Amino acid sequence: MIIGGGPAGLTAAYELQKLSHAHVPQVYEASDMVGGISRTETYKGYRFDIGGHRFFTKVREVEDMWREVLGDDFITVQRLSRIFYRGRFYDYPLRIFNALGNIGPYETYKIIGSYIKWKLRPKAQEDTFEDWVINRFGGRLYMHFFHSYTKKVWGIPPSEIRADWAAQRIKNLSLPKAVWNAISGANDTASLIEEFQYPRLGPGMMWEKTRDLIEKQGGTVQMRTEVVKVNRDGNRVTSIDVRRWTENGGQSEKTERIEGAHFVNSMAVRDLIHAFDPPPPPEVVAAADRLKYRDFLIVTLMLDHADPFPDNWIYIHSPKVKVGRIQNFRAWSKEMLPDQNTSSIGMEYFCQKGDGLWSSSDEDLRKLASEELEKLDLAKASDVIDWTVIRQPKAYPVYDGEYKEALDTVSGWLKTLENFQTVGRNGLHRYNNQDHSMLSAMYAARNILGENNDVWDVNVERSYHEEFEAKPKNKASKERLDKGAVL
């Protein structure tokens, strides 16, 4: 049984079928779309992402799966992204003359001086995001390019975010390396790649095809089927209870109990802990309740002309507007638009469920997004010919001061379960990339076939910065098993 039809859940099912003819994966997805946050939404023929998803990895198995599923449906996209700050656009990755021209000689001198100061007398401990960045870039550059945007994304000061997040997302980058990359064109930092693969119809295409392949091989992917309870007998999970949703959003009052031999979860770990029956020990439940999430919404504006800017996306550091990032979906793939004489612009807002942004009416959000697009001098509000809004809860696990201790408590208990594994971004409460979520799911599938991988220890930095392959540890993962089992 597999809980969740996002990248992790579908990868677990695909990998299991690839390694064993005898296992029959059953995937249960609460929504009406596969792909989770990597899905591709559609509106009147326009296709758009819930945040942009580049397909880049050094994990060979992940690359192989992408190719097996999509084949010729991949296109190569040249990356163009910029930062908007203090009324100017900065190329990202850094272009030395562009940056110096925007910042000016005096501020450049101050940034270099600040960098030298912090290299000579760095912070002794790197407990927070702020500490980590200042030690590598200096305080001046941190205040310019990291503080305001990070606070906008997470809703809390960078001094309250753990250094784990910085080490995972921007490891292997420093000021000297950024300058050298800008001068030489060299780059080995994953967050700065300048070319990537992309499904021609958006990332959801990958997961829609994966679903179809799973079902073609005899597995099932059941939509609008929410897992509401995970039943266990001691350290073994015995079954799950599901509740069905109708196409119009109605919920069945009845639940259905489904038994299985092995279970893989990708729902948010906080929700998972509350789904267990009997519940975990009180300290585990209390720890799960301390895990927090950042929510997200996107206002997609259709404009009456093509490409108001050439970028795939723009990071908006300006505190004068609420928008955090802006996507130009035609720059990702022209096939995302039904009319090439128009444009589809995703205005992305980071928020909390129930706050002012989240609770705003769709019309108010259209007005806000249109006005901010004009305020940034990217297009006029009057250019908007149509629009739609998508809200995404639990988009990003939060790395605040409480998360590490809480997650250690939760994971410690989950590891005691004999036939239950949890994978993926929300299943592991890790702000990882799509390929990391997939690799954790591959490990889970291989464990079912006899391996002993720790899904909590999939190293995202290693998978980006080394030529890395997860090799099978025993013959079980290489052989087709004769015994049947329902997953």
Side-chain angles (χ1 to χ4, degrees):
M1 303 297 168
I2 297 174
I3 303 171
L10 293 177
T11 297
Y14 181 89
E15 179 77 358
L16 192 71
Q17 287 181 316
K18 186 175 177 180
L19 297 175
S20 169
H21 285 313
H23 286 68
V24 183
Q26 298 178 5
V27 182
Y28 298 92
E29 168 58 42
S31 74
D32 60 356
M33 295 184 70
V34 292
I37 199 172
S38 296
R39 69 187 182 276
T40 299
E41 294 274 356
T42 60
Y43 175 78
K44 297 183 180 179
Y46 290 88
R47 300 174 66 88
F48 54 93
D49 297 357
I50 311 302
H53 288 82
R54 294 171 292 162
F55 282 64
F56 168 81
T57 187
K58 288 187 177 181
V59 183
R60 196 174 76 182
E61 297 102 310
V62 170
E63 176 74 22
D64 288 347
M65 179 177 167
W66 285 344
R67 293 295 173 187
E68 289 165 8
V69 173
L70 280 184
D72 294 337
D73 284 320
F74 267 126
I75 60 174
T76 300
V77 179
Q78 298 299 315
R79 168 180 174 158
L80 176 59
S81 59
R82 290 180 293 173
I83 294 169
F84 182 80
Y85 176 68
R86 289 188 175 180
R88 294 178 181 271
F89 286 98
Y90 292 78
D91 292 338
Y92 186 77
L94 176 70
R95 299 289 186 274
I96 194 69
F97 295 112
N98 168 264
L100 292 178
N102 280 337
I103 294 174
Y106 174 76
E107 191 58 32
T108 299
Y109 169 79
K110 298 288 285 185
I111 288 171
I112 293 172
S114 174
Y115 172 75
I116 293 172
K117 169 190 169 183
W118 287 104
K119 291 307 289 183
L120 293 174
R121 299 184 65 182
K123 291 175 178 284
Q125 285 187 268
E126 294 180 351
D127 294 327
T128 70
F129 176 88
E130 183 175 279
D131 299 336
W132 194 96
V133 173
I134 287 176
N135 275 357
R136 286 158 181 76
F137 294 89
R140 194 87 177 181
L141 201 60
Y142 162 76
M143 288 304 298
H144 278 309
F145 290 109
F146 291 91
H147 182 270
S148 61
Y149 185 73
T150 303
K151 187 174 182 180
K152 182 182 287 191
V153 170
W154 294 106
I156 57 177
S159 58
E160 296 179 17
I161 299 172
R162 304 305 298 168
D164 309 38
W165 181 72
Q168 183 167 304
R169 300 300 292 185
I170 53 177
K171 183 182 177 180
N172 204 34
L173 183 63
S174 63
L175 182 57
K177 176 164 280 192
V179 172
W180 172 247
N181 288 347
I183 295 171
S184 67
N187 178 35
D188 64 350
T189 302
S191 62
L192 303 183
I193 60 165
E194 298 194 50
E195 182 179 276
F196 56 89
Q197 299 295 295
Y198 189 72
R200 60 184 180 82
L201 295 177
M205 185 182 195
M206 168 73 194
W207 304 113
E208 291 156 13
K209 285 202 167 189
T210 303
R211 173 202 59 203
D212 295 344
L213 289 171
I214 291 167
E215 293 184 330
K216 185 178 179 180
Q217 294 297 321
T220 60
V221 181
Q222 299 188 38
M223 310 304 297
R224 295 187 294 276
T225 306
E226 180 183 11
V227 175
V228 295
K229 190 176 290 187
V230 178
N231 304 296
R232 66 185 180 91
D233 181 5
N235 291 339
R236 287 192 65 82
V237 172
T238 57
S239 61
I240 56 175
D241 291 357
V242 302
R243 180 175 289 133
R244 312 283 181 176
W245 293 82
T246 63
E247 290 189 17
N248 61 10
Q251 188 181 43
S252 171
E253 294 182 1
K254 296 180 179 180
T255 60
E256 176 185 350
R257 180 156 296 183
I258 303 169
E259 296 181 348
H262 300 277
F263 299 81
V264 177
N265 168 72
S266 65
M267 80 158 86
V269 70
R270 187 177 71 189
D271 297 336
L272 169 67
I273 291 298
H274 282 280
F276 278 107
D277 185 20
E283 64 272 17
V284 176
V285 176
D289 286 339
R290 297 205 305 273
L291 298 175
K292 301 179 181 67
Y293 303 85
R294 188 67 164 157
D295 304 315
F296 168 95
L297 66 84
I298 181 170
V299 184
T300 302
L301 304 175
M302 292 75 182
L303 309 185
D304 62 6
H305 61 283
D307 298 330
F309 52 88
D311 309 66
N312 308 108
W313 70 91
I314 302 173
Y315 299 103
I316 308 299
H317 287 219
S318 172
K320 295 181 180 179
V321 292
K322 294 181 179 179
V323 66
R325 188 172 56 186
I326 304 178
Q327 305 279 349
N328 175 11
F329 292 115
R330 188 172 180 275
W332 290 80
S333 171
K334 293 181 180 180
E335 292 188 62
M336 300 281 277
L337 279 70
D339 184 349
Q340 298 302 308
N341 295 313
T342 62
S343 52
S344 174
I345 306 301
M347 305 288 284
E348 298 181 354
Y349 294 87
F350 307 99
C351 53
Q352 294 300 137
K353 192 173 182 178
D355 69 10
L357 265 176
W358 183 274
S359 302
S360 296
S361 69
D362 288 2
E363 174 57 31
D364 286 343
L365 289 171
R366 177 208 60 80
K367 183 179 180 183
L368 172 67
S370 301
E371 290 174 349
E372 292 196 340
L373 192 66
E374 183 166 327
K375 187 178 292 186
L376 294 168
D377 202 27
L378 294 174
K380 294 181 180 179
S382 59
D383 295 338
V384 176
I385 55 175
D386 208 345
W387 54 278
T388 189
V389 176
I390 299 293
R391 293 170 176 83
Q392 176 63 48
K394 295 185 177 71
Y396 310 111
V398 173
Y399 282 50
D400 62 6
E402 293 186 288
Y403 106 93
K404 185 66 167 62
E405 182 182 355
L407 189 59
D408 285 347
T409 299
V410 171
S411 64
W413 182 80
L414 286 170
K415 288 177 183 180
T416 68
L417 300 178
E418 297 173 1
N419 62 336
F420 187 93
Q421 302 174 84
T422 186
V423 296
R425 172 179 284 190
N426 280 341
L428 296 171
H429 199 82
R430 286 184 179 166
Y431 189 153
N432 51 37
N433 290 301
Q434 182 177 217
D435 60 338
H436 175 254
S437 292
M438 293 171 64
L439 187 57
S440 68
M442 289 177 176
Y443 277 179
R446 295 171 191 181
N447 287 344
I448 291 169
L449 302 181
E451 292 192 14
N452 187 28
N453 302 297
D454 186 352
V455 297
W456 293 88
D457 196 35
V458 174
N459 191 329
V460 67
E461 293 84 26
R462 184 181 178 191
S463 69
Y464 270 112
H465 302 303
E466 298 173 8
E467 294 299 330
F468 173 63
E469 178 184 4
K471 296 180 179 178
K473 295 183 178 179
N474 56 43
K475 293 180 180 179
S477 64
K478 298 178 181 178
E479 299 172 349
R480 307 287 187 180
L481 301 187
D482 295 327
K483 279 191 173 181
V486 176
L487 176 66

